[in-house]
Amino acid sequence: MKKYTPFLKFKAGELSAIKNLHQDVSKDLIPFFDLPRKGKEKYKSAELKDLIDKSFRKFELNLSKLSKLYIDDFDIDNDITIGGKPGYSYFLKKFSLPNIIPTIGPDRTETRNKIVFETKIANSLISDSLAIRVFTDDLKYTQRRKDISELAKASSKLFSDVHLIIDSRICNASNVNDYSKSIISFLRDSRDFPKYILTGSSITASIRDIAAVNSTNTMHRIEIDIFEEVVKSEVVKGLNIFFGDYATVSPNYSDVDVDDKIIRKITAPKILYSYDKKMYIARGSSLQTNPRGNKQYFDLFGNLIKEKFYRGKTYSLGDEFMFSKAHGQGSQVMPATIVNPLVNAHITYMINSFKI
């Protein structure tokens, strides 16, 4: 599927997953990144500056081969300032590169959106592409639609390439009809964008909602249902619509504010693997109390590679990793290192094999 956009957190695992994609997969890929939230607490000004500085270094190390990418700070409060200006102002200054696509939205503060326009007017923002990110629930309200329209008009005066992103966030079976109707109704009157991305995920913030410990589950991907309902409508014919998802990480993911001494006690290993319009999920139990500890990952992958839908070790670097760990090879797997192969395998599948 060539019209595909993964939505990822700007964290080491996801960045490495992109870096490790085969060239034929990554050559036309334009991923979307969210700067990660801290947890329950807000960033302090110095912490946000440090996050942006470190993110830029990670960008240099991992994403240099990408032609373009979106970066947003949706998960970070707009009222956090750096040098008296919104944090995104410092971000735009740090990431002033032609392949960086900034993001605005009707849910942001007026100052936050204005910073993007002012930076462009001052010729400090090189990119001529801009994304407007809206949320499916917003499309139900007349005032919010007017806000989106006004943002689009203001954006088109400064940027020649304005994309519209409609984000459904967490999807479930009960909102397929409601969401798809809202999106179709909105697109009936908003046909001036050169590119649209419809995104969402069926992965909840807590994996416990979709898979119990020491179990496996096969989850239907509801975000695909919403997309299919929209694109089959006559209303959207002729529009350039991309499918997006959050790969194998929940849109609502945030780091857990838990003491390092007990993190292993409450953490259970998990793996997620996409196939057809489904996602296979397997979980172990506490890394601390289970006798297998981190070797549970070896066991989970050992079961995965026996499944008919496993695509083989040569399919992607992520699949190769899974195969090697299934055979107990190499170093132990950690919760922090598992994201890379899972996301890498998912994106490779979505680009090379997924059909919609």
Side-chain angles (χ1 to χ4, degrees):
M1 184 180 192
K2 300 305 179 184
K3 290 188 174 184
Y4 168 68
T5 302
F7 283 65
L8 310 168
K9 305 300 180 184
F10 209 97
K11 295 174 70 68
E14 289 91 327
L15 297 175
S16 297
I18 295 292
K19 181 179 181 180
N20 293 333
L21 290 171
H22 291 306
Q23 179 61 33
D24 63 327
V25 176
S26 65
K27 62 180 179 179
D28 296 319
L29 187 68
I30 305 178
F32 190 108
F33 287 97
D34 278 307
L35 294 176
R37 69 183 67 189
K38 184 180 180 182
K40 293 182 179 179
E41 296 183 4
K42 290 172 57 174
Y43 284 107
K44 296 178 181 178
S45 178
E47 291 175 326
L48 180 56
K49 180 179 181 298
D50 185 57
L51 170 69
I52 294 172
D53 289 340
K54 289 181 177 178
S55 294
F56 184 74
R57 182 55 181 156
K58 291 176 182 177
F59 163 79
E60 292 181 312
L61 294 173
N62 295 283
L63 305 179
S64 59
K65 66 181 179 181
L66 294 178
S67 60
K68 288 185 178 181
L69 65 153
Y70 305 89
I71 306 184
D72 194 9
D73 65 345
F74 169 75
D75 290 326
I76 298 173
D77 291 326
N78 284 179
D79 60 356
I80 304 173
T81 60
I82 299 175
K85 295 183 178 180
Y88 204 60
S89 176
Y90 182 76
F91 167 83
L92 293 174
K93 180 180 179 181
K94 190 74 177 182
F95 281 80
S96 184
L97 299 168
N99 58 341
I100 300 296
I101 304 175
T103 308
I104 62 174
D107 60 302
R108 318 307 169 88
T109 63
E110 183 178 352
T111 302
R112 159 64 172 74
N113 288 333
K114 192 176 180 181
I115 279 292
V116 178
F117 296 145
E118 290 177 345
T119 306
K120 182 63 175 177
I121 292 171
N123 293 318
S124 297
L125 180 54
I126 300 175
S127 175
D128 204 32
S129 297
L130 176 71
I132 300 176
R133 187 182 192 180
V134 305
F135 298 92
T136 310
D137 285 330
D138 294 337
L139 304 183
K140 304 172 186 176
Y141 304 103
T142 302
Q143 183 56 51
R144 187 60 92 189
R145 290 193 182 198
K146 289 181 179 178
D147 294 340
I148 297 168
S149 178
E150 290 175 3
L151 271 182
K153 290 179 181 178
S155 301
S156 63
K157 295 177 182 178
L158 297 171
F159 297 86
S160 63
D161 186 33
V162 182
H163 307 164
L164 183 68
I165 296 168
I166 301 177
D167 192 343
S168 296
R169 302 296 286 178
I170 303 295
C171 307
N172 56 67
S174 65
N175 61 29
V176 171
N177 187 56
D178 183 34
Y179 277 12
S180 59
K181 283 185 176 180
S182 294
I183 295 170
I184 292 169
S185 174
F186 178 76
L187 294 182
R188 180 180 289 111
D189 303 316
S190 302
R191 303 180 58 83
D192 298 327
F193 295 92
K195 179 178 179 180
Y196 300 79
I197 304 174
L198 308 186
T199 191
S201 176
S202 301
I203 305 174
T204 54
S206 174
I207 197 68
R208 290 175 296 181
D209 296 334
I210 49 180
V213 295
N214 292 322
S215 72
T216 61
N217 186 27
T218 300
M219 177 182 71
H220 182 73
R221 296 176 58 196
I222 307 300
E223 65 272 19
I224 298 174
D225 292 342
I226 295 172
F227 184 84
E228 287 184 323
E229 285 297 308
V230 172
V231 297
K232 75 181 184 182
S233 170
E234 289 294 324
V235 169
V236 307
K237 292 294 175 63
L239 298 184
N240 182 30
I241 302 178
F242 279 59
F243 173 76
D245 64 31
Y246 282 82
T248 58
V249 179
S250 172
N252 292 341
Y253 169 85
S254 65
D255 290 329
V256 180
D257 296 319
V258 177
D259 191 298
D260 290 341
K261 294 179 181 179
I262 64 171
I263 191 67
R264 284 184 59 81
K265 184 176 181 179
I266 65 172
T267 300
K270 63 179 182 293
I271 63 172
L272 300 93
Y273 193 82
S274 301
Y275 68 101
D276 296 335
K277 298 177 183 179
K278 305 172 185 177
M279 185 168 286
Y280 169 89
I281 305 165
R283 290 185 71 198
S285 58
S286 169
L287 290 172
Q288 180 173 307
T289 61
N290 188 300
R292 291 286 289 168
N294 287 68
K295 290 183 179 179
Q296 291 179 84
Y297 284 107
F298 294 171
D299 302 334
L300 295 179
F301 285 131
N303 292 329
L304 170 63
I305 67 169
K306 297 174 184 176
E307 298 286 351
K308 293 181 179 179
F309 52 77
Y310 172 66
R311 290 177 284 276
K313 64 178 181 179
T314 63
Y315 188 83
S316 71
L317 287 180
D319 286 280
E320 181 181 4
F321 176 94
M322 297 172 195
F323 186 86
S324 68
K325 299 309 174 184
H327 290 84
Q329 299 171 0
S331 59
Q332 68 177 1
V333 183
M334 305 291 290
T337 60
I338 194 62
V339 175
N340 176 346
L342 296 182
V343 171
N344 179 275
H346 176 86
I347 294 175
T348 302
Y349 165 69
M350 294 302 297
I351 292 289
N352 282 350
S353 302
F354 184 72
K355 292 180 174 57
I356 198 168

